[in-house]
Amino acid sequence: MFFSASVMLKWDLSSMIFYIILGLIAVVCLHNSQKKYSSSNKWFFKDKYLSWWFFIWVIIAVFRLVDSPIGGMDASNYIKYFQICRNNYMPEYFEHFAGDILFKYFNQAIRLITSDYHVYFIAVYGLMCYVFIEFCRFFCPQNVCFAPFVLVFFLYLRGFSTIRSHLSIVIILIACILLAKEKNKVALFVALCAALVHKAALLYAMCIPFCMFFLKRKITVKAVVILFAVSIFASTMLQQYFILFTADMDLSGAYSSYASRSLETSFLDNAWKIAFEQMFLGLFILIYHTKLKAYTNTLSITWQRRINIVYLICIFDLLLIPVNYMLSIWRGYEYFYLPRLILWGILLHIILKNYSTKYQPILSFTFLSCFVAWMIFRVWSTWESSGLIPYIFEPFRYL
């Protein structure tokens, strides 16, 4: 039960149901917001649906019980780092946190105000939730299938453990919004700042110049296939060099260790489970490429740019699958999770239009069931290693 006093790491069905309900809140609130408030220029908190979504998720994140490993496997370490981040002598274990200077300054700025980690969590999850919702609102057109957005909570849930990488995701998502607003130089600068929160984010920040390049030129299916082949070849050839580089530059032993792991494993062992949704989306892009283009052409110039950016981000994400596997960056699939969900929503809307209105609700429910099932599978696959189940609401711990 998610109001249990126990802090044992164990599978809990009520916690899983609770997570699904929180995911459905995203679906309902985004759907109602898009139908009632058509302008993405409206101030966030004047939208009652988005406001409720924001406050519910932030409260759930801030006041969860964190008692290692409950509440996120790495959450207790982030709390400890926050509480000692202003110390002159940092324990060796936390040096890789302090090595990412923007993350260090972020912690120190809040630590000047308070030592209460709940305030720190308010800043972290308030920012995270705000940007996630704003990104969905900004890039999601009205005519989409909202079923995939149940998985927005899965991305948010992963942030219960991986705070540093999720903050870098937030920065890159902000850069994508700036790019859509044609603030290219600022977008590139902001994206590069993500690497100062988490070094691995430098790889994903390259999506901004990638989008800038192909927004001016058409990217064909043939070009994508060629780029994917190049990605496989390059990541294989550069793997050994990366291992040596990270060891020589002392970029924390973890980077070299991660890259070395894939030398002993096959893509079919576990990597395919992580990349499955990305590859499946790639297949749908291939099948519905022409219809997707026709759909985009019906939109205004502003929305065409936004959808093209989402599409290019998803293509860039596909190209990184071999890189993520070779370097064993298991969290790499999380960086562009939201753009993929938006593109899923568009593609499923295109599919739904082929059927009469009589069958569309049934198909929509079927799609929603599939995404809920995928969420259950992903939580089931990661709950033990990430410490995300059971969920315990801290104020009710002893009830």
Side-chain angles (χ1 to χ4, degrees):
M1 298 292 293
F2 55 84
F3 293 149
S4 169
S6 172
V7 295
M8 292 178 58
L9 187 64
K10 59 183 179 181
W11 176 259
D12 179 37
L13 180 60
S14 60
S15 295
M16 187 68 249
I17 294 172
F18 184 53
Y19 292 161
I20 293 171
I21 292 171
L22 291 170
L24 292 174
I25 286 174
V27 174
V28 173
C29 288
L30 185 61
H31 176 268
N32 286 318
S33 174
Q34 293 293 76
K35 298 303 180 186
K36 186 171 182 178
Y37 304 102
S38 59
S39 174
S40 60
N41 295 321
K42 187 180 181 66
W43 189 47
F44 185 102
F45 291 109
K46 284 189 175 181
D47 185 325
K48 65 178 181 180
Y49 300 107
L50 300 186
S51 297
W52 276 108
W53 177 3
F54 174 84
F55 286 116
I56 291 171
W57 278 23
V58 172
I59 289 169
I60 291 301
V62 170
F63 295 104
R64 74 187 189 273
L65 175 65
V66 178
D67 188 352
S68 185
I70 300 300
M73 191 64 70
D74 294 335
S76 59
N77 289 328
Y78 283 110
I79 292 172
K80 290 174 185 175
Y81 174 71
F82 165 70
Q83 292 171 337
I84 66 169
C85 65
R86 296 185 65 212
N87 292 1
N88 292 326
Y89 301 100
M90 184 68 59
E92 184 178 352
Y93 181 80
F94 295 109
E95 285 181 355
H96 66 291
F97 286 177
D100 296 312
I101 59 173
L102 194 55
F103 181 73
K104 178 178 72 173
Y105 294 152
F106 175 77
N107 278 261
Q108 290 179 342
I110 302 172
R111 185 64 181 81
L112 284 171
I113 303 170
T114 181
S115 62
D116 186 346
Y117 79 85
H118 292 96
V119 177
Y120 174 62
F121 272 11
I122 289 172
V124 169
Y125 294 104
L127 177 63
M128 194 182 298
C129 191
Y130 182 90
V131 173
F132 284 2
I133 295 173
E134 186 64 25
F135 187 92
C136 291
R137 179 175 73 148
F138 187 84
F139 283 103
C140 181
Q142 285 186 298
N143 295 323
V144 295
C145 173
F146 291 92
F149 293 94
V150 70
L151 283 169
V152 177
F153 183 75
F154 176 69
L155 177 64
Y156 188 67
L157 178 66
R158 293 288 298 168
F160 286 14
S161 181
T162 57
I163 290 176
R164 197 161 45 108
S165 63
H166 268 62
L167 286 176
S168 68
I169 292 172
V170 162
I171 294 173
I172 290 178
L173 293 179
I174 293 172
C176 294
I177 293 174
L178 291 169
L179 180 64
K181 293 182 177 180
E182 301 189 55
K183 299 178 181 180
N184 295 1
K185 292 181 180 179
V186 180
L188 184 57
F189 172 77
V190 170
L192 292 174
C193 286
L196 301 178
V197 174
H198 198 298
K199 296 180 184 72
L202 179 62
L203 178 63
Y204 306 96
M206 293 301 102
C207 76
I208 299 299
F210 178 85
C211 290
M212 289 168 60
F213 181 83
F214 283 108
L215 279 172
K216 297 178 181 178
R217 301 163 181 82
K218 290 183 180 180
I219 184 169
T220 63
V221 173
K222 180 180 178 181
V224 173
V225 173
I226 293 172
L227 287 171
F228 191 76
V230 170
S231 176
I232 295 173
F233 177 77
S235 57
T236 304
M237 295 295 294
L238 295 176
Q239 184 180 26
Q240 290 287 0
Y241 292 102
F242 179 83
I243 293 171
L244 294 173
F245 172 76
T246 51
D248 291 342
M249 295 297 291
D250 193 30
L251 297 177
S252 98
Y255 291 93
S256 180
S257 173
Y258 293 160
S260 299
R261 289 178 190 174
S262 65
L263 293 172
E264 304 171 359
T265 61
S266 165
F267 182 80
L268 297 178
D269 290 338
N270 286 305
W272 73 270
K273 298 176 185 177
I274 296 173
F276 176 79
E277 179 260 330
Q278 292 164 280
M279 295 187 296
F280 200 50
L281 177 62
L283 178 62
F284 269 67
I285 291 173
L286 184 64
I287 295 172
Y288 291 97
H289 180 264
T290 302
K291 290 186 177 181
L292 177 60
K293 184 178 179 181
Y295 167 88
T296 305
N297 289 336
T298 64
L299 305 175
S300 67
I301 298 298
T302 299
W303 275 104
Q304 284 185 31
R305 180 177 177 85
R306 293 181 186 183
I307 301 306
N308 284 333
I309 287 173
V310 167
Y311 175 76
L312 288 171
I313 292 172
C314 292
I315 295 298
F316 182 79
D317 187 49
L318 284 170
L319 298 178
L320 287 184
I321 291 175
V323 180
N324 289 334
Y325 164 63
M326 292 298 175
L327 303 184
S328 291
I329 306 177
W330 301 114
R331 297 170 190 166
Y333 76 96
E334 296 172 352
Y335 275 84
F336 301 119
Y337 210 88
L338 293 188
R340 293 201 305 273
L341 294 182
I342 291 170
L343 192 56
W344 269 120
I346 294 170
L347 290 171
L348 294 180
H349 171 73
I350 291 171
I351 293 172
L352 284 172
K353 288 199 304 181
N354 294 323
Y355 296 88
S356 69
T357 54
K358 177 182 177 181
Y359 297 107
Q360 286 181 10
I362 298 173
L363 285 172
S364 295
F365 180 78
T366 302
F367 292 149
L368 178 62
S369 300
C370 290
F371 282 99
V372 169
W374 180 250
M375 180 178 174
I376 295 171
F377 172 73
R378 292 301 296 135
V379 174
W380 171 262
S381 301
T382 59
W383 72 271
E384 197 166 8
S385 61
S386 58
L388 296 176
I389 281 187
Y391 176 87
I392 299 173
F393 193 58
E394 187 179 21
F396 296 167
R397 176 177 179 177
Y398 296 108
L399 292 183

